Amino acid sequence: MAGRALHQLMILLLTVVTVLGSHGKYHAVDALNVDPEIDLIEISEFDSLPNICNGKECPKYGDVTNMKLPSGVKVRDYPEMNWISSSRYQPVANSCLEGSDDMVDYYQELYNYFKGVNTMGLLMERTVPIRVIGQVDPDTGDVKYCHLMFYIPEMYSVNAPAPLSVGIFVGHNWEKRCYVVSINGNYTWKRTLKVHKALKSFLNRRKVEGVQQDELILDIYSGYGVPNSRKYSELLICMKVDEFY
C-alpha cells in the first residue's frame, strides 16, 4: 500500500511540473544555480506579476542592454537620489528582517516621517520599495550590520525635510550601476543570502571588477498581506561609485 501511495504521489508531482512547464510560466535560472540549495524561480510572463510599484513612486533607472547576461540577471543604471534611512542596527540570527525589534521600530519611524513627523510637517506619499541593506563579512558570510530605508519622492528630494526622530536621517546615493536578480515568492533573509552568494559567484566567474560584493541590497516591492506566489523583491549588487565613472 505504501509503495502504491508513493507511486501515485510521484505521478501527481510529475503532472504538476508538466502543466507548469507547458504553460511556460516558470523556469529555473540555471546560470546562477551553482549551489543546489538555491532555487531561483523567474516568472517569465510579466502579466503574472503584481504591479510592483502599486501606484506609488518608484526609483527610476535605465536598463543596460548592451551586455550579454543569463536569463534572470539584469543590469541597471540608477541616477543619484535621496533616501530616508535608519541608523545601523544589528542582525538577529544573521538576519536583517526576521526577529529584529530594531527593524520594526525603525520601520515605524520611517513610516511616520512620511506621515508628517519631520521638520516641515510635510505629508508625503510613501514610496516603494522598502530597501534593506546588509553589510556582509566577505570571509565568513555573516551579516555585520543592517540599514532600512525608503526612497524620498522626487519632487521633495532636493529640499527634503529633516526627520524629527533621532534614529533616522536623510542620505544621498550617487548614481550607480547595479546587477539585479528578481526574487519571486518567499524572500526570507536566509534565501536572500543564498541568492547574494550565487550572484557574487557569477560576477567572479565573469571577472567583473569594482563591485561592492559585501553590500547586499534587497528591494521589497510587495509581500506582507499578499499570497506567497505574488510576493516580489529584487536583490542588487552594485558597482563602487568611483568604478562606475
Side-chain angles (χ1 to χ4, degrees):
M1 292 293 292
R4 182 179 178 184
L6 179 61
H7 179 69
Q8 291 176 336
L9 177 59
M10 293 299 293
I11 291 176
L12 176 60
L13 290 174
L14 180 61
T15 302
V16 171
V17 171
T18 302
V19 169
L20 289 176
S22 64
H23 284 77
K25 288 188 177 181
Y26 301 92
H27 64 277
V29 185
D30 295 327
L32 293 182
N33 279 338
V34 293
D35 184 337
E37 295 183 0
I38 298 172
D39 55 342
L40 297 181
I41 299 298
E42 181 187 5
I43 300 180
S44 56
E45 294 183 4
F46 187 75
D47 289 343
S48 63
L49 283 175
N51 173 7
I52 61 173
C53 294
N54 295 310
K56 299 182 184 296
E57 188 173 335
C58 287
K60 296 179 174 62
Y61 59 82
D63 288 308
V64 179
T65 58
N66 61 349
M67 301 175 67
K68 187 176 181 180
L69 296 166
S71 175
V73 181
K74 308 177 185 72
V75 178
R76 296 174 181 162
D77 287 341
Y78 288 86
E80 57 182 311
M81 62 186 81
N82 286 333
W83 295 74
I84 181 70
S85 173
S86 75
S87 300
R88 291 183 183 182
Y89 62 93
Q90 294 302 307
V92 175
N94 208 39
S95 171
C96 290
L97 287 176
E98 296 90 3
S100 173
D101 291 336
D102 286 339
M103 188 277 287
V104 175
D105 292 341
Y106 280 132
Y107 176 85
Q108 188 62 54
E109 290 185 26
L110 294 170
Y111 178 82
N112 290 341
Y113 174 81
F114 287 92
K115 292 299 182 181
V117 184
N118 55 64
T119 52
M120 296 173 61
L122 184 64
L123 296 174
M124 294 176 281
E125 182 75 16
R126 185 177 63 80
T127 59
V128 293
I130 306 169
R131 173 164 285 189
V132 186
I133 296 181
Q135 204 70 24
V136 181
D137 188 304
D139 297 322
T140 65
D142 293 337
V143 181
K144 296 188 289 186
Y145 57 85
C146 313
H147 286 281
L148 190 69
M149 57 186 66
F150 284 94
Y151 164 65
I152 294 179
E154 190 172 4
M155 68 180 297
Y156 304 117
S157 186
V158 175
N159 296 307
L164 295 178
S165 301
V166 296
I168 62 177
F169 61 93
V170 174
H172 183 78
N173 276 1
W174 298 103
E175 59 180 307
K176 60 177 63 177
R177 174 165 292 180
C178 301
Y179 290 80
V180 183
V181 174
S182 299
I183 303 177
N184 301 284
N186 195 14
Y187 49 73
T188 62
W189 193 257
K190 182 178 179 180
R191 185 185 183 199
T192 302
L193 284 171
K194 289 181 178 180
V195 178
H196 180 252
K197 178 181 176 182
L199 183 55
K200 284 200 306 181
S201 178
F202 164 74
L203 295 175
N204 287 332
R205 294 198 308 272
R206 293 287 292 266
K207 295 181 170 57
V208 178
E209 298 181 350
V211 176
Q212 291 179 294
Q213 294 197 10
D214 56 346
E215 184 179 73
L216 184 164
I217 301 174
L218 178 66
D219 282 351
I220 302 172
Y221 285 89
S222 60
Y224 296 112
V226 300
N228 190 61
S229 61
R230 307 293 287 178
K231 292 180 180 179
Y232 180 76
S233 57
E234 293 180 341
L235 180 130
L236 293 78
I237 294 181
C238 298
M239 305 291 292
K240 299 174 184 176
V241 173
D242 56 347
E243 297 289 345
F244 178 74
Y245 295 108

